[in-house]
């Protein structure tokens, strides 16, 4: 007798958004508490916090943490990285802060980079890198500004440096020999990784299977409902192994396949407990989000769940921009209601609204009031 095809449950857009917002900790006011411990907890939960150089407003790593920690201070991240050593910097889909407790899952990538450097910035020979490491071992941690022996060269990439030593430092960083022990703006202090963490012996690297499980579990924790694209964002080579692990967990009933209303082909999965009816919602919070926020960075997923297509227009000519140079999505409850192109006038001590675009056809007076209140709070954060 033929078995009846299994019915795959469908999640409505509202339920899918609710699950994702809960996983991202954007639906409650103070999910991680306050102080440096809150910063470490936020990075641990999210799995990564992206770093970027654009500073027309506060840089995105501070912005992302502020969105989930109302009392966040920049010094909290400094303490988490340099004193508590609870977070460190490495590559996920981009350069990011990641939990130090997860470092064993990154050690295989470091070993692979030592064997075959792939980062565009990792130029320079092994002998020159060894000499630089010997200097740091003898003299202590240093920044690029401490190296004054460079003979400048032409850039080989848009984001490259004319200083060859920058490539050597970044090669040793991606090799796992150096760690960024202090960051001041975009100025990085490099220290020997083993000395920074005080290891007598390095942690054992995770196996390939453990790394795959880590990527899946990290996505489930921070996204709630996942797809292969969302788990392996900019990491296509991992998809085959992740798909095999998902199939095994579905078979063991640890994961359930679901479809999202409006999704044509891409399957999604969730842990069964994530599909339980949610408790009635409380206050609809307003957040002014970074374009590099984990909720925003995966554009196709964002459009599917929220019906909003974010445009990152910093590199477009002015006449081609729709939302402005550095548009920030404004989240109210489970809706993206506006996009604000903002700029911090640090000398004048004020936040400038370069362009404001309402996405709601007729925003209510109450919505405007709540958005204005959040904008005032955001300005206080920007000005420190």
């Amino acid at each position: 007798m033929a078995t009846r095809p299994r019915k795959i449950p469908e999640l409505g857009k509202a339920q899918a958004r609710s699950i994702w917002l809960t996983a991202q900790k954007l639906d409650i006011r103070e999910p991680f508490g306050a102080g440096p411990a809150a910063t470490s907890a936020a990075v641990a939960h999210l799995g990564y916090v992206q770093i970027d150089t654009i500073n027309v407003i506060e840089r995105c790593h501070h912005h992302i943490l502020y969105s989930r920690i109302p009392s966040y201070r920049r010094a909290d991240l400094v303490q988490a990285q340099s004193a508590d050593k609870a977070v460190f910097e490495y590559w996920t889909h981009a350069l990011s802060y990641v939990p130090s407790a997860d470092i064993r899952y990154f050690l295989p990538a470091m070993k692979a980079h030592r064997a075959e450097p792939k980062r565009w910035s990792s130029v320079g020979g092994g002998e020159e890198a060894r000499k630089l490491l010997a200097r740091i071992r003898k003299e202590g941690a240093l920044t690029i500004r401490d190296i004054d022996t460079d003979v400048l060269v032409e850039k080989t990439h848009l984001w490259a440096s004319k200083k060859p030593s920058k490539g050597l430092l970044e090669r040793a960083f991606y090799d796992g020999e150096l760690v960024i022990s202090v960051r001041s703006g975009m100025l990085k202090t490099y220290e020997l990784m083993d000395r920074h963490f005080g290891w007598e012996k390095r942690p054992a690297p995770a196996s390939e299977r453990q790394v795959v499980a880590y990527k899946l579990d990290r996505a489930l924790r921070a996204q709630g409902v996942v797809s292969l694209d969302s788990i392996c964002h900019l990491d296509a080579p991992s998809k085959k192994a992740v798909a095999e692990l998902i199939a095994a967990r579905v078979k063991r009933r640890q994961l359930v396949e679901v479809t999202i209303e409006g999704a044509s082909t891409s399957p999604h999965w969730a842990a069964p407990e994530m599909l339980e009816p949610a408790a009635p919602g409380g206050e609809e919070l307003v957040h002014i989000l970074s374009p590099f926020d984990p909720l925003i960075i995966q554009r196709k997923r964002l459009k599917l769940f929220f019906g909003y297509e974010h445009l990152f227009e910093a590199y477009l000519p002015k006449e081609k921009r729709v939302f402005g140079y550095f548009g920030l999505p404004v989240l109210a409850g489970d809706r993206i209601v506006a996009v604000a192109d903002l700029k911090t006038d640090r000398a004048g001590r004020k936040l400038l609204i370069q362009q404001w675009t309402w996405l709601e056809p007729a925003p209510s007076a109450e919505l405007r009031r709540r958005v204005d209140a959040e904008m005032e709070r955001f300005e206080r954060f920007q000005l420190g």
Side-chain angles (χ1 to χ4, degrees):
M1 181 177 176
T3 58
R4 183 174 297 176
R6 176 172 56 93
K7 182 173 174 60
I8 298 174
E10 180 181 83
L11 295 183
K13 291 287 182 69
Q15 185 180 3
R17 288 195 298 270
S18 175
I19 292 172
W20 193 12
L21 289 170
T22 297
Q24 278 291 305
K25 301 299 184 183
L26 288 168
D27 62 337
I28 52 178
R29 177 60 71 188
E30 200 171 30
F32 300 108
T39 292
S40 301
V43 176
H45 177 82
L46 296 172
Y48 75 90
V49 169
Q50 186 171 335
I51 300 167
D52 194 79
T53 59
I54 294 177
N55 69 336
V56 64
I57 61 165
E58 182 54 88
R59 289 189 172 94
C60 68
H61 39 287
H62 294 303
H63 186 171
I64 292 166
L65 290 166
Y66 159 81
S67 294
R68 292 155 179 85
I69 306 170
S71 60
Y72 173 75
R73 301 175 307 157
R74 294 151 186 82
D76 294 340
L77 182 56
V78 174
Q79 180 170 331
Q81 178 175 22
S82 303
D84 300 340
K85 300 172 186 176
V87 302
F88 74 105
E89 297 184 29
Y90 205 68
W91 193 267
T92 54
H93 69 283
L95 186 62
S96 303
Y97 285 102
V98 290
S100 297
D102 294 348
I103 199 166
R104 62 189 297 260
Y105 301 107
F106 293 87
L107 293 177
M110 296 174 187
K111 181 180 179 181
H113 194 273
R114 289 196 293 274
E116 186 181 355
K118 292 183 178 180
R119 297 263 74 86
W120 60 266
S121 56
S122 302
V123 296
E127 182 60 31
E128 290 89 346
R130 283 190 287 275
K131 288 179 181 178
L132 183 58
L133 288 172
R135 175 180 171 180
I136 295 173
R137 191 171 291 112
K138 179 181 179 181
E139 299 178 10
L142 55 73
T143 73
I144 187 69
R145 294 178 185 174
D146 297 317
I147 301 174
D148 56 9
T149 55
D150 275 317
V151 177
L152 301 185
V153 297
E154 290 299 316
K155 287 187 177 186
T156 58
H157 189 281
L158 180 61
W159 292 284
S161 172
K162 293 184 177 182
K163 300 185 73 171
S165 55
K166 184 176 187 291
L168 294 174
L169 286 168
E170 295 200 357
R171 173 173 180 161
F173 167 77
Y174 287 114
D175 284 356
E177 300 290 350
L178 297 178
V179 70
I180 297 168
S181 59
V182 180
R183 175 182 284 273
S184 178
M186 286 292 112
L187 181 65
K188 296 168 280 192
T189 298
Y190 291 89
E191 173 63 291
L192 299 174
M193 179 178 280
D194 292 359
R195 191 160 66 191
H196 173 73
F197 286 112
W199 295 330
E200 291 185 7
K201 183 180 179 181
R202 285 197 170 195
S207 68
E208 185 176 344
R209 290 180 65 182
Q210 289 171 330
V211 172
V212 171
Y214 168 71
K215 290 178 179 179
L216 174 56
D217 291 334
R218 179 177 66 185
L220 286 166
R221 183 180 65 245
Q223 298 174 14
V225 179
V226 300
S227 67
L228 271 181
D229 285 341
S230 76
I231 300 162
C232 305
H233 180 52
L234 301 182
D235 182 23
S238 294
K239 285 186 175 181
K240 182 176 183 295
V242 170
E244 290 171 353
L245 179 57
I246 289 172
R249 291 195 184 182
V250 168
K251 191 173 182 179
R252 296 195 296 266
R253 299 186 179 180
Q254 294 170 331
L255 290 178
V256 176
E257 183 176 347
V258 299
T259 61
I260 308 293
E261 177 189 354
S264 54
T265 56
S266 179
H268 288 74
W269 297 270
E273 59 271 18
M274 294 302 295
L275 304 180
E276 296 295 326
E283 177 190 3
E284 281 200 343
L285 301 181
V286 175
H287 296 286
I288 299 164
L289 295 175
S290 167
F292 302 106
D293 193 279
L295 194 81
I296 305 299
I297 195 66
Q298 296 196 36
R299 309 292 192 229
K300 290 182 180 178
R301 176 179 169 91
L302 179 68
K303 185 176 181 181
L304 173 62
F305 282 59
F306 285 86
Y308 164 69
E309 186 170 13
H310 184 70
L311 302 175
F312 185 73
E313 302 174 295
Y315 303 124
L316 288 180
K318 185 174 182 179
E319 63 274 11
K320 292 187 177 181
R321 295 174 193 154
V322 177
F323 296 130
Y325 176 82
F326 200 63
L328 308 176
V330 179
L331 177 72
D334 71 344
R335 311 178 328 274
I336 295 175
V337 298
V339 182
D341 180 24
L342 304 179
K343 179 179 180 179
T344 302
D345 177 358
R346 294 173 175 90
R349 301 288 297 166
K350 57 186 175 181
L351 185 67
L352 305 177
I353 300 177
Q354 308 286 80
Q355 179 179 328
W356 185 277
T357 307
W358 280 107
L359 303 178
E360 299 243 323
S364 67
E366 174 59 19
L367 176 58
R368 289 175 180 272
R369 183 196 65 76
R370 291 193 292 119
V371 169
D372 286 346
E374 182 57 28
M375 186 64 70
E376 290 175 6
R377 196 175 77 85
F378 189 71
E379 180 176 47
R380 292 195 294 271
F381 163 68
Q382 291 296 313
L383 300 177

